[in-house]
Amino acid sequence: MFFNLIKLCIILNSKNNFNFEDLDGNRIELINLKKVADIALLDMHDWSTNPKFFEYLEFPESKNIEGTQQQLDKMLSRMDEGEHYWCIKLKEKKQFIGTLRINEVDFRKKFCGLGYGINPEFQGKGLASESLQLAL
């Protein structure tokens, strides 16, 4: 079963930092959310109104663009508090298809929190796995 959003503890590899800048993969790019928040809103609204995306979440889908903007604003404010978000951009379609978050980074204990969400239209294609490989 594929989960739309996952929060777990991961073991960090031997490097003692993350590259929180933009990252480029084969099929996707990870772009710092702060850089693309304005242009990503409409793509984000596309998956934020899909009930399937929220199947395993504790909060409901957005009812309108203002609700999606509120979700985006929460993510941006969390970035100011130390969380790191990227937009996942599908190169082929030049479309934002999800987000990836790393938080609670503790290099001493070698763990962090991880969350991601992928537009249901693009789930099951290995794009979340590619995103995670890029980030970690």
Side-chain angles (χ1 to χ4, degrees):
M1 177 178 284
F2 182 85
F3 292 93
N4 298 347
L5 181 71
I6 187 167
K7 171 93 164 107
L8 53 92
C9 202
I10 60 170
I11 303 298
L12 298 176
N13 61 22
S14 60
K15 61 184 177 178
N16 284 328
N17 59 24
F18 283 111
N19 177 0
F20 292 116
E21 297 301 316
D22 300 348
L23 301 167
D24 192 15
N26 293 326
R27 298 180 295 162
I28 61 160
E29 295 174 83
L30 296 180
I31 303 172
N32 184 304
L33 181 62
K34 285 187 176 183
K35 291 182 179 179
V36 294
D38 292 339
I39 60 174
L41 179 62
L42 292 179
D43 287 340
M44 187 178 199
H45 184 62
D46 183 45
W47 75 75
S48 292
T49 57
N50 187 331
K52 186 176 178 186
F53 182 83
F54 292 88
E55 189 173 2
Y56 301 101
L57 299 178
E58 297 175 3
F59 48 93
E61 69 273 8
S62 296
K63 300 294 183 201
N64 51 44
I65 194 76
E66 291 80 15
T68 303
Q69 181 67 58
Q70 288 175 348
Q71 289 177 357
L72 180 58
D73 290 344
K74 283 182 189 177
M75 294 165 79
L76 292 170
S77 70
R78 290 177 182 150
M79 289 181 82
D80 292 335
E81 297 168 3
E83 293 191 13
H84 304 279
Y85 282 89
W86 290 274
C87 273
I88 303 169
K89 183 178 181 182
L90 186 61
K91 289 180 175 182
E92 176 185 316
K93 295 189 175 218
K94 298 180 181 169
Q95 178 180 1
F96 296 103
I97 61 163
T99 57
L100 174 67
R101 176 189 72 201
I102 293 179
N103 65 343
E104 301 173 20
V105 177
D106 186 329
F107 291 107
R108 187 180 61 78
K109 293 181 181 177
K110 300 219 179 270
F111 75 87
C112 68
L114 175 66
Y116 61 86
I118 300 287
N119 182 333
E121 180 182 337
F122 298 98
Q123 292 175 1
K125 301 177 185 332
L127 298 168
S129 296
E130 185 176 338
S131 299
L132 294 171
Q133 288 173 351
L134 276 175
L136 302 175

